[in-house]
Structure formats: structure tokens, C-alpha cells
Amino acid sequence: MLLLGGTAEARELAAALAGETRVVTSLAGRVANPRLPVGEVRVGGFGGPDGLARWLTEHGVRAVIDATHPFAERIGTSAVAAAGRAGVPLLRLQRPGWQPREGDDWRWADTLEHAATLLGDLGERIFLTSGRQGLAAFAACTRQWFLARCVDPPGPPLPPRIHVLLDRGPYPLEKERALLAEHRIDVLVTKDSGGTMTAAKLTAARERGIPVVVVRRPPRPESPTVPDVPSALAWLRHRMTP
């Protein structure tokens, strides 16, 4: 099977299938030193839907699970098209999105560019947790000061007043509390990634009473979807049984 990975769920799924069936995990290659899953790993693109369809056929793939990040819309769209052309069943493994709780002050944005326009008078010191590839959307924000947390160093364009913090999750609540206090953060900007690995920042923001700008997930093509690894395992084992 082909596992489109890069998430904690993908690594958990690959580990659960070790010794049970041949799994090839595909990584986009955008992170310099990614956390590698158990088993075979392929790094890099396929050449669009046509290239992926050929790869599925040439390698005799019997099932595809798309367990990529909720914002990896390009590979998700290509996977649905390619699996359809190759006649291979595909499942989307997507963790549920975050939901606001009592005491939260959330502002929803459709894109990162939209999020930048919402900053307005919300605050002066912004904690950006949208990833290094999204920082360009805030390059024209000259009034605010930004703390941007990334796994790898970002390239230009960047906001003129920015401090980049290189770090990798998970991020415990105490660490998030200390970070917001140390940098006097008064606005948090994040994507609706879901899951628990990076959710502590939302709790820390709620405790401090600061607004959070949350970017909605991009639309995905319709496909069978499950919310967790056990459900994906059940789906796969049903299809891989001789």
C-alpha cells in the first residue's frame, strides 16, 4: 500500500502495519530532517496526478491512504485523481479540527492572507504558528511585531519586525504559557490543524484572554474519510485480505 504521510497519524499507522503488509510511506520532502516512519520511505513528488497514477500501477499498489496534513491540499487533490485513474481504493485519514471552548475568542479566516487583514487593531505582538511557508502572507504587516515558530528557517519575504523561533512539537502547556508571557503576545495566529500535538497554545491563549485568528482548512475532493488510525486500519485490512 502507499501511505501519504508526514503526520503523527501516518507514523502510527506505518508502525501498526509493520510485518503485516508492505507499506511505502511518501514524504513531500519539505522538512529538512523529518521524523521518519517505520518501513520503506519515499521522498519527493510524483509529477502530478498522472505521475502518481503511473506509480500506483507500476508498483502494483492495492490501496492508498492519504494521511497528510489537513493543509496539504495539493497532494490530497492529486491523490484522489490518481487513485481514480489507476482504479485503486483511497481513504483519507484526517484528524478532526479544533472547536472553540468557553472562554475562547476566535476569529475565523479563509486563508493566511485573510488572517493578515484581520489583525487590524487586535494587538501589536503576534504569535504566528502557521509554518514557514505561510509567512509571506504577513510580509506587508509593518506595524505589528511577530514571533514565528517554524521547524526550518524561513526564506523571504518576511514581515519587517519578526523573530523566528526554530522548534518542533509537541509543545507542552507550560512551555506555551511561558512563551506567551516572555514575548508579551497579545494575538495568536494558527491553522486549524487539529490533534493534540500543537493544541496547548490554544489553552494558553484562552487562559491569557487573547484573541486567536484560526485559518480554516482548505477544501478537499470528496473521498471516504475516517478520523483516526484504528478506523484506517480496519478499512485497510478489509481491502488487503486475499
Side-chain angles (χ1 to χ4, degrees):
M1 65 155 289
L2 176 66
L3 175 58
L4 303 175
T7 60
E9 291 85 356
R11 293 189 294 274
E12 182 182 346
L13 185 59
L17 292 167
E20 183 174 326
T21 188
R22 183 186 175 193
V23 178
V24 178
T25 298
S26 174
L27 302 178
R30 293 178 179 173
V31 177
N33 294 295
R35 291 191 177 101
L36 296 178
V38 174
E40 298 181 50
V41 177
R42 181 190 184 280
V43 178
F46 292 92
D50 290 337
L52 178 52
R54 286 193 299 272
W55 195 94
L56 296 176
T57 301
E58 291 170 359
H59 290 79
V61 173
R62 295 176 57 193
V64 178
I65 294 185
D66 175 10
T68 55
H69 191 275
F71 283 79
E73 64 268 34
R74 181 178 298 178
I75 184 58
T77 300
S78 291
V80 171
R85 294 173 193 177
V88 177
L90 176 142
L91 179 74
R92 170 71 179 149
L93 169 54
Q94 178 167 274
R95 67 181 79 118
W98 289 320
Q99 297 297 324
R101 295 172 51 183
E102 184 178 354
D104 283 328
D105 179 10
W106 286 16
R107 322 294 172 92
W108 288 94
D110 295 324
T111 63
L112 287 171
E113 289 76 14
H114 183 201
T117 69
L118 295 180
L119 295 181
D121 296 323
L122 285 180
E124 298 288 335
R125 300 181 67 82
I126 318 297
F127 184 22
L128 279 180
T129 64
S130 55
R132 65 184 174 90
Q133 294 180 320
L135 297 183
F138 301 89
C141 297
T142 58
R143 182 170 61 83
Q144 293 90 354
W145 178 89
F146 292 91
L147 171 66
R149 183 165 62 194
C150 313
V151 175
D152 295 321
L158 300 173
R161 302 174 62 207
I162 187 170
H163 174 72
V164 176
L165 173 64
L166 299 182
D167 198 4
R168 187 194 298 264
Y171 308 106
L173 180 56
E174 286 302 320
K175 186 174 180 179
E176 298 294 64
R177 286 170 173 159
L179 197 64
L180 297 188
E182 175 187 355
H183 295 280
R184 308 191 310 281
I185 298 298
D186 51 21
V187 182
L188 169 65
V189 177
T190 186
K191 295 177 178 178
D192 181 19
S193 299
T196 60
M197 184 174 290
T198 62
K201 61 191 173 189
L202 301 174
T203 301
R206 183 186 314 119
E207 292 175 349
R208 291 181 66 86
I210 67 174
V212 182
V213 178
V214 185
V215 180
R216 292 185 178 92
R217 296 177 175 187
R220 293 277 193 133
E222 288 191 14
S223 62
T225 303
V226 295
D228 53 43
V229 171
S231 300
L233 283 170
W235 179 91
L236 181 65
R237 286 167 176 158
H238 175 71
R239 279 154 184 79
M240 299 295 280
T241 300

